[in-house]
Amino acid sequence: MNIPNLRNTESGNFFLMAGPCAIEGEEMALEIAERIKTITDRLQIPFIFKGSYRKANRSRLDSFTGIGDEKALKILRKVGETFQVPTVTDIHESSEAAMAAEYVDVLQIPAFLCRQTDLLVAAAKTGKTVNVKKGQFLSGEAMQFAVGKLRDSGNENIILTDRGNSFGYSDMVVDFRNLPIMQSFGVPVVMDVTHSLQQPNQTSGVTGGQPALIATIAKAAIAVGVDGLFIETHPTPATAKSDGANMLALDNLEALLTQLVKIRQAIR
């Protein structure tokens, strides 16, 4: 699947990476993708479907991690083929890069792993677009070294994503200065709206969140001039098997995106 021009789309719009946190099943994935595709087509927003085939970073051993790698990756491929949209998923180890690249269009490097040289090099060498999430522990300036590793490995198809910075032991805060700083490296930059509202390290072992502020973070990012948004969404976040506490309810996506398109048009 061809990746759209992520910095200068014909519509002048931002692009959207959206979908469930984890692939829970084929029916759910297709339902979410179809609804997002309908909305983004109407609003002329380039869309990349997001879903993790496996969740490796969990607080508790009994947390949901996935339905099986091959099964989930095949669902991601089916979503892409059915709706003619690019797809993105996380990888966690160098050995996963080539495998995942057979099924998806964009390989995503999780924030905690953004300094892992072998992982970045393996992702770069697949030739796929690589989306690197900025570590919660890093400044925007520090991400130039992740970009350098990918470029030095022969890959110029790079996206950087901000997902907030650790604030104390169990909260996140967004420093919007990081968006233009990372754009200065000559790559598209995304604001991960939903993960930046996480409240990690809760005593229950289940990450909390502040979904009521999703619109606030998204509007601010668009006003700053971000190239794209990353939003995890689910028909019923309360029943989602991963990260439900900070997801956007799917029914609320169209109204939010409509507002964001208006802001984008206003600042242009």
Side-chain angles (χ1 to χ4, degrees):
M1 194 71 57
N2 291 328
I3 305 297
N5 186 327
L6 301 181
R7 300 212 75 175
N8 297 291
T9 65
E10 291 181 6
S11 67
N13 246 338
F14 56 91
F15 67 94
L16 177 69
M17 291 184 175
C21 179
I23 297 298
E24 300 174 11
E26 181 176 308
E27 183 178 355
M28 179 212 70
L30 292 171
E31 174 193 351
I32 294 173
E34 182 176 20
R35 290 185 62 183
I36 299 174
K37 182 71 162 55
T38 300
I39 295 166
T40 53
D41 280 354
R42 184 179 69 79
L43 295 173
Q44 297 183 60
I45 299 171
F47 168 46
I48 300 172
F49 179 81
K50 183 270 170 183
S52 296
Y53 72 90
R54 177 168 18 102
K55 301 302 295 184
N57 177 23
R58 303 285 85 189
S59 295
R60 292 174 11 184
L61 189 60
D62 61 353
S63 296
F64 173 80
T65 58
I67 60 174
D69 292 357
E70 186 176 13
K71 183 177 180 181
L73 285 166
K74 285 182 176 179
I75 291 171
L76 282 162
R77 175 188 280 168
K78 184 170 183 177
V79 167
E81 292 174 348
T82 301
F83 300 106
Q84 291 297 292
V85 296
T87 54
V88 56
T89 197
D90 316 73
I91 59 171
H92 308 90
E93 298 181 15
S94 304
S95 59
E96 298 175 22
M99 173 188 70
E102 294 293 319
Y103 296 89
V104 301
D105 306 285
V106 182
L107 299 179
Q108 182 167 283
I109 308 299
F112 281 126
L113 302 178
C114 69
R115 286 173 49 91
Q116 296 298 102
T117 300
D118 288 349
L119 181 59
L120 289 166
V121 171
K125 288 186 174 179
T126 67
K128 297 287 184 174
T129 297
V130 182
N131 178 34
V132 187
K133 287 197 170 183
K134 184 185 74 61
Q136 302 93 321
F137 45 87
L138 289 178
S139 67
E141 290 92 341
M143 291 302 291
Q144 65 184 295
F145 302 110
V147 172
K149 290 174 183 179
L150 294 170
R151 286 177 169 160
D152 289 346
S153 301
N155 195 327
E156 292 284 343
N157 303 312
I158 303 164
I159 304 170
L160 294 181
T161 296
D162 192 359
R163 48 98 72 239
N165 280 77
S166 297
F167 186 69
Y169 291 113
S170 8
D171 207 354
M172 305 292 298
V173 66
V174 177
D175 181 351
F176 286 97
R177 296 176 298 178
N178 285 325
L179 302 181
I181 287 169
M182 292 193 295
Q183 284 174 326
S184 73
F185 307 147
V187 300
V189 172
V190 172
M191 182 73 237
D192 181 344
V193 178
T194 46
H195 284 105
S196 68
L197 290 167
Q198 282 185 332
Q199 294 176 313
N201 305 320
Q202 301 296 302
T203 55
S204 65
V206 178
T207 298
Q210 297 178 298
L213 294 175
I214 287 173
T216 300
I217 298 296
K219 290 174 183 178
I222 294 298
V224 168
V226 78
D227 298 292
L229 295 176
F230 181 108
I231 297 175
E232 288 188 340
T233 184
H234 193 281
T236 54
T239 65
K241 295 184 177 181
S242 178
D243 281 2
N246 53 270
M247 274 196 202
L248 178 70
L250 188 55
D251 285 343
N252 296 334
L253 181 63
E254 184 169 10
L256 174 60
L257 292 178
T258 300
Q259 289 182 324
L260 297 176
V261 167
K262 291 178 180 178
I263 295 171
R264 178 72 164 201
Q265 291 170 343
I267 67 169
R268 289 178 66 87

